[in-house]
Amino acid sequence: MHGPFTEPALIDPAQQRAVVWVAFRPGGAHPFLPAPVSAVRDELAGLDELWGTDGAVLRERLLEAMATGGPAAGLRELEAALLARAEHPLEPDPAVRLAAALLDRGTPVAEAADRLGWTARRLARRCTEQLGLPPKRYARIRRFQRLLGRVNAGHGAPDWAVLAADCGYHDQAHLIHEFRALAGITPTAYAPRSPLERNHVPLGG
């Protein structure tokens, strides 16, 4: 289980010879974990740590399913394993889903709490439990993802000053600082990708 990361992490593709995986939407991992999502923040936790024996043997079950039935069989096996381990209702908490949607759009944290009729402390607790991140940190990462979406969808060299203003950064220096903190590289070193790609930065070498 790869929890939500708040800083850059390197992934070695040489270790990914056979891969089947699930990318959860905000709040989507919560039903399948025995602890708050924040327990795996900035962590790569083995499924045996989370699910015991069921997690320890899942890799072999997936490899066998894909060997005999192909990728579709592996996905069916993974889906069955997830449903068998659900700890909470599968339907996302509507209040947390609304909070995430507001923060996704750049709504200030205090305003999001007011819209929900919650205190800032309650919003922080519920977001940390189900999204894995406090609302301010969650909003910071989503703002960066909106920035990457704009860069990837553009043509020609990005105008970083304009993007900083449009995406909610204080100024271009603030954007550069956040880019370094969250991607590990400068904005000018970033090579635009597909407009749908907001989470991975390819590194050469």
Side-chain angles (χ1 to χ4, degrees), residues 76-170:
R76 288 194 296 270
E77 184 71 29
L78 180 56
E79 180 184 41
L82 285 169
L83 292 175
R85 296 299 309 185
E87 305 271 348
H88 307 283
L90 296 182
E91 185 66 24
D93 183 329
V96 174
R97 184 169 55 185
L98 175 57
L102 291 170
L103 296 171
D104 287 351
R105 295 197 293 267
T107 304
V109 173
E111 183 180 335
D114 287 342
R115 291 274 299 274
L116 290 164
W118 288 357
T119 63
R121 180 175 296 182
R122 184 181 183 189
L123 177 64
R125 183 178 71 251
R126 296 284 287 275
C127 285
T128 301
E129 288 175 352
Q130 298 189 36
L131 303 179
L133 299 168
K136 287 186 178 181
R137 188 168 296 181
Y138 175 85
R140 176 187 173 202
I141 291 173
R142 296 300 270 184
R143 177 179 60 191
F144 181 66
Q145 291 178 326
R146 289 196 304 274
L147 169 69
L148 290 186
R150 288 281 302 275
V151 173
N152 293 339
H155 302 284
D159 187 328
W160 296 108
V162 171
L163 288 171
D166 289 349
C167 294
Y169 293 94
H170 300 313

